[in-house]
Amino acid sequence: MTPGPLAGLRILEVGHILAGPFATMLLADLGAEVTKVEPPGGDLSRQVGDAYFASINRGKRSICLDLTTDQGQARLGALAADAHALLVNLKPSVIRRLGLTYERLRRYNERLVCVAVTGYGLDGGDDPAFDYVIQAATGVAALTGDPDGPPTLPGYSSADNSAALTAALGLLAQIVSGRGGQVEVALRDVMLAQLNYRAAAYLNDGVEPRRLPNGAHSYYVPAQLFPTAEGHLALFITHDGFWKTFSAEAGIEGFPTMAERAERREEVLDAVTRALHRDTAKRWEARLRPLGIPAAAVRTLPEALDATPEMIVRAGDFRLVGSPVKVAGYMPEYGPPPALGSLVVDGD
């Protein structure tokens, strides 16, 4: 079997729950050797449930170290000496107290890359920074939901998952540089960065973002969810060519340019809504996709998983969603999640 693109890369992970473990699992899927350094009680996500833990920790090894002791620190130093990177997500004060920074670990390995995933940065304090708190603090919640309803949170951990992807990118970028060093990823900064065009509109043109009904896009019209004769359809018309094709299929006349559609938004939405009520969401999807129109019927997660069996993998006793990164000639082995402290090192 062809080795993964990250084969030979040795990564240490110290942290709990989601952002850090998901980042290193993505790297493990690509062939990296990931060792979870867990306290005697284990990663807190073990308390949530076996399937939860497996979903962000497959294919790793686990070693139990009490980093508050001299022996634990010595073992950490030995592991760091042979590693390419350490990724940690804990409070800044804990990261420093346990010596999980490049400043403290460089004596073991000058080329070690240390990635700190925190809420507000290593110098940003220890204020609680869980996913939903960050979404509220960065404007994401205020932008989500119906304008006549309360702010809304998406049904998954978007801040943690986004920080994980960013942390994996930062870790690999510093390794590619050939230099060791400290890398920081703050959940707050990640979510602000993802508000790119919304933030730019405010910072440069003074346009304060607002919620629109049905998740409508602030620039493109029509681009939102629409009710149909049965179910809802996501329609995303981003240029005039899409509109020409869609409007012909839907029997809608007029509004040929995006500028006109944006200016006459409510008229366009009324016309599209009336047209889409003539068929079901699934049938509209079947009609529009062959025409190259971005459209999809709203599915539940079980329906989405049933429709994509190729994304479901087996990792030990668990069925999980596989890696989103496909590398030609390489197939991840998807090992099981590690038992707590299953890796034994010299001296145990």
Side-chain angles (χ1 to χ4, degrees), residues 82-320:
D82 192 45
H84 294 91
L86 163 71
L87 189 146
V88 54
N89 71 295
L90 295 167
K91 290 181 179 180
S93 65
V94 177
I95 292 175
R96 289 197 168 93
R97 186 172 74 247
L98 297 180
L100 299 171
T101 63
Y102 179 73
E103 181 182 5
R104 289 280 296 275
L105 293 173
R106 65 184 301 177
R107 59 187 169 134
Y108 301 106
N109 183 353
E110 283 280 344
R111 297 185 66 177
L112 183 69
V113 173
C114 293
V115 182
V117 181
T118 64
Y120 306 99
L122 276 173
D123 296 318
D126 279 355
D127 287 344
F130 291 91
D131 187 286
Y132 287 4
V133 174
I134 293 296
Q135 291 190 51
T138 55
V140 175
L143 283 169
T144 308
D146 189 88
D148 296 325
T152 304
L153 297 168
Y156 78 109
S157 300
S158 62
D160 279 335
N161 286 316
S162 298
L165 292 165
T166 308
L169 172 63
L171 181 152
L172 292 174
Q174 188 65 11
I175 286 178
V176 169
S177 78
R179 303 183 300 271
Q182 185 69 57
V183 176
E184 293 189 50
V185 173
L187 271 70
R188 176 202 59 196
D189 300 348
V190 169
M191 297 312 287
L192 287 174
Q194 289 193 95
L195 291 173
N196 36 47
Y197 63 84
R198 291 281 206 170
Y202 174 71
L203 293 171
N204 295 280
D205 302 318
V207 177
E208 186 170 346
R210 61 191 179 93
R211 277 182 269 162
L212 296 170
N214 299 302
H217 197 278
S218 56
Y219 289 102
Y220 305 131
V221 181
Q224 62 180 63
L225 297 178
F226 288 95
T228 69
E230 181 181 321
H232 284 74
L233 182 80
L235 182 67
F236 208 69
I237 304 297
T238 58
H239 60 72
D240 296 340
F242 280 160
W243 173 257
K244 181 178 180 180
T245 303
F246 166 73
S247 60
E249 178 68 18
I252 302 173
E253 296 182 356
F255 318 111
T257 67
M258 183 65 74
E260 182 178 358
R261 291 194 298 279
E263 182 179 350
R264 301 171 64 185
R265 175 184 287 267
E266 295 307 319
E267 294 178 63
V268 173
L269 297 183
D270 286 344
V272 172
T273 299
R274 289 195 302 272
L276 293 180
H277 264 298
R278 300 185 191 118
D279 212 338
T280 68
K282 289 184 177 179
R283 282 199 287 264
W284 273 115
E285 178 183 297
R287 289 169 60 178
L288 296 176
R289 282 196 171 182
L291 301 177
I293 303 300
V298 173
R299 291 172 169 81
T300 64
L301 176 58
E303 290 172 334
L305 292 173
D306 287 344
T308 53
E310 69 278 7
M311 280 299 295
I312 310 304
V313 302
R314 174 71 65 175
D317 296 332
F318 298 94
R319 296 175 68 231
L320 305 170

Side-chain angles (χ1 to χ4, degrees), residues 314-339:
R314 174 71 65 175
D317 296 332
F318 298 94
R319 296 175 68 231
L320 305 170
V321 176
S323 173
V325 181
K326 310 299 182 186
V327 178
Y330 168 69
M331 178 62 68
E333 292 187 14
Y334 295 120

